[in-house]
């Protein structure tokens, strides 16, 4: 099955109702957050001060909240098989999400604390599902990855790295959310092509929840992802990659790297520029 045929087949899946629910719930909840900003704006607004900021008016930076709530609603409308895959993502993603939201609201959570929280999400996901990266398709390295300690530690670092990479690219309206949407759809296509339809649908549900936010964030920037949204989506993206590789031995580990290549190269370039 070529890529075009797979795309048409993927979006004709009868189980797509949950993805539609995720999109509508995310879009409507994001609009609700925008219209209720007089109630929560004292805590949730992102000011215009700062060299990296381009918006001209204070804007809510809690876009991660409606995305997570939309996923919970979609989870309730999904089959048992989908719930089994989606629930660990929601539960394990809470450390990354909550520490990010705490930073959005208080501006007092340090970078190291947030990095550790995203890594904790990776560890929690391994503890719940017993999945961790056991191969990178690199000769010699894969031998180490057969040991649980190295596998789990590397997985935690990888999850933390991807989560922080999404936070780094979050700045221009639509950039981070569109990147995540495309990556989730990419993972869905790969999963569908290798016969993992449940994982493909979970990836589409995640993409749909981000897509609902996208149309409120772009082009006028009425709502920002914030650290909570960026860290949670980064964790979810990393964990879908882990599941795709571990559930499907025929999938190359490099396919996950290529799918997430944009935020990863952004991080590497940021490190190079600063050093």
């Amino acid at each position: 099955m070529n890529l075009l045929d797979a795309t048409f087949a993927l979006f004709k899946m009868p189980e797509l109702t949950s993805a539609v629910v995720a999109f509508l719930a995310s879009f409507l909840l994001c609009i609700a957050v925008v219209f209720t900003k007089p109630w929560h704006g004292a805590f949730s607004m992102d000011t215009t001060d700062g060299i990296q900021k381009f918006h001209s008016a204070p804007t809510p930076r809690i876009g991660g909240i409606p995305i997570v709530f939309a996923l919970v609603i979609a989870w309730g409308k999904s089959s048992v098989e989908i719930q089994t895959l989606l629930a660990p993502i929601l539960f394990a993603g809470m450390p990354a999400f909550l520490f990010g939201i705490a930073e959005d609201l208080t501006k007092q959570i340090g970078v190291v604390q947030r990095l550790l929280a995203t890594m904790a999400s990776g560890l929690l996901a391994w503890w719940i599902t017993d999945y961790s990266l056991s191969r990178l398709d690199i000769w010699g390295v894969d031998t180490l990855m057969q040991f649980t300690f190295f596998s789990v530690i590397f997985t935690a670092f990888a999850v933390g790295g991807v989560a922080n990479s999404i936070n780094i690219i979050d700045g221009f309206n639509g950039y981070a959310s569109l990147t995540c949407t495309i990556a989730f759809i990419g993972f869905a296509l790969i999963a569908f092509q290798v016969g993992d339809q449940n994982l493909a649908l979970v990836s589409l549900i995640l993409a749909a929840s981000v897509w609902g936010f996208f149309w409120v964030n772009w082009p006028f920037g009425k709502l920002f992802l914030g650290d909570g949204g960026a860290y949670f989506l980064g964790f979810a993206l990393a964990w879908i990659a882990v599941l795709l590789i571990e559930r499907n031995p025929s999938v190359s580990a490099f396919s996950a790297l290529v799918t997430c290549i944009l935020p990863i190269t952004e991080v590497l370039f940021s490190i190079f520029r600063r050093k």
Side-chain angles (χ1 to χ4, degrees):
M1 182 182 294
N2 61 41
L3 183 60
L4 185 60
D5 291 337
T7 303
F8 281 120
L10 178 64
F11 284 97
K12 288 182 179 178
M13 291 174 65
E15 300 89 350
L16 277 180
T17 303
S18 298
V20 175
V21 169
F23 169 77
L24 292 175
S26 175
F27 181 69
L28 294 174
L29 288 171
C30 285
I31 291 177
V33 169
V34 173
F35 276 100
T36 57
K37 62 184 179 182
W39 302 350
H40 55 74
F43 305 99
S44 65
M45 289 293 195
D46 191 31
T47 65
T48 58
D49 299 329
I51 192 171
Q52 293 178 312
K53 298 183 179 181
F54 299 92
H55 52 291
S56 57
T59 304
R61 53 179 287 173
I62 53 173
I65 294 178
I67 290 175
V68 170
F69 272 97
L71 286 171
V72 172
I73 294 171
W75 174 86
K77 296 293 184 180
S78 300
S79 65
V80 174
E81 293 80 8
I82 302 304
Q83 288 181 343
T84 301
L85 282 173
L86 188 55
I89 295 175
L90 286 167
F91 186 76
M94 283 301 102
F97 174 68
L98 293 176
F99 271 72
I101 287 293
E103 166 63 14
D104 292 329
L105 298 177
T106 68
K107 316 294 191 296
Q108 295 180 356
I109 309 299
V111 175
V112 174
Q113 292 172 291
R114 283 176 276 150
L115 174 61
L116 292 175
T118 57
M119 293 174 63
S121 286
L123 291 174
L124 186 57
W126 161 73
W127 183 73
I128 295 171
T129 65
D130 203 32
Y131 280 117
S132 62
L133 288 169
S134 62
R135 62 184 174 89
L136 297 177
D137 294 339
I138 300 174
W139 184 84
V141 176
D142 284 358
T143 303
L144 283 177
M145 299 296 285
Q146 300 308 306
F147 295 95
T148 301
F149 175 80
F150 290 105
S151 173
V152 172
I153 293 300
F154 182 87
T155 301
F157 272 104
V159 168
V162 175
N164 280 271
S165 72
I166 297 299
N167 191 48
I168 284 176
I169 69 171
D170 185 28
F172 285 110
N173 297 338
Y175 188 26
S177 53
L178 183 60
T179 297
C180 289
T181 301
I182 293 172
F184 281 129
I185 292 175
F187 284 138
L189 285 169
I190 297 171
F192 186 79
Q193 284 185 303
V194 298
D196 196 344
Q197 295 193 8
N198 289 334
L199 186 60
L201 186 54
V202 169
S203 297
L204 283 183
I205 291 172
L206 287 161
S209 68
V210 186
W211 197 233
F213 163 84
F214 173 84
W215 291 108
V216 181
N217 175 247
W218 182 87
F220 300 114
K222 297 298 183 181
L223 179 64
F224 296 158
L225 268 180
D227 285 12
Y231 284 133
F232 178 82
L233 290 179
F235 159 75
L237 199 60
W239 197 249
I240 289 294
V242 172
L243 292 177
L244 180 64
I245 295 169
E246 291 303 310
R247 287 165 57 95
N248 303 282
S250 63
V251 175
S252 168
F254 286 95
S255 65
L257 177 65
V258 171
T259 305
C260 297
I261 197 65
L262 177 58
I264 291 173
T265 52
E266 287 276 11
V267 170
L268 294 176
F269 181 71
S270 295
I271 294 172
F272 171 76
R273 185 179 67 246
R274 290 174 184 176
K275 293 296 183 182

